[in-house]
Structures are given as structure tokens and as C-alpha cells.
Amino acid sequence: IYLSLTHLTNQFNLKIGDNGRGIKQKDIDRNPNSVGLDLIESLALQLGGNLESDYQNGTHYTLLFSNDS
């Protein structure tokens, strides 16, 4: 599991992830209201950020949000 927060010129870059088996798209489609995904999406919404996900070689989320948040 990793967590990193980087300050860029006008924004922050928060990365969270692991190197586990990852999440399959069919599992997300079957259970779109999982608590973990809800928490991540809620954080992105509260910060007014842009959330990107990658499920290759684990599960990885990148959240970009401005210094104003």
C-alpha cells in the first residue's frame, strides 16, 4: 500500500494504491456502491478535484485538486 501527496505549482497530487490483484471492471459494474469507492469519490467531490483510476497491476487512484480546496 502506498500513499503520496505532492505539491505542484497550483495543485496537489494525491496518489493512493496497492500492488494487489486489482479490481475487475465487472466487479465495479456489479457493485458500484462499494464503501471504498464511495469514500474516494466523495473526497474528490469535496475537494473539487479530478479523480483517475487504474486497475492494472493493482489498484491505483490519482486525485488532482487545487490549492484553493
Side-chain angles (χ1 to χ4, degrees):
I1 297 175
Y2 67 87
L3 173 76
S4 76
L5 179 64
T6 307
H7 181 248
L8 306 171
T9 304
N10 294 318
Q11 62 187 1
F12 288 98
N13 184 354
L14 176 62
K15 293 184 178 186
I16 306 167
D18 65 42
N19 62 352
R21 63 180 179 92
I23 301 172
K24 295 181 178 139
Q25 187 63 46
K26 68 178 182 174
D27 293 336
I28 295 170
D29 294 342
R30 241 187 286 149
N31 189 13
N33 297 321
S34 74
V35 173
L37 288 174
D38 282 349
L39 285 172
I40 293 168
E41 290 170 351
S42 291
L43 177 61
L45 186 63
Q46 288 175 26
L47 293 174
N50 180 41
L51 181 65
E52 296 178 5
S53 56
D54 176 10
Y55 304 115
Q56 300 295 320
N57 301 314
T59 300
H60 313 277
Y61 293 98
T62 301
L63 174 58
L64 293 171
F65 58 97
S66 75
N67 291 349
D68 304 349
S69 300

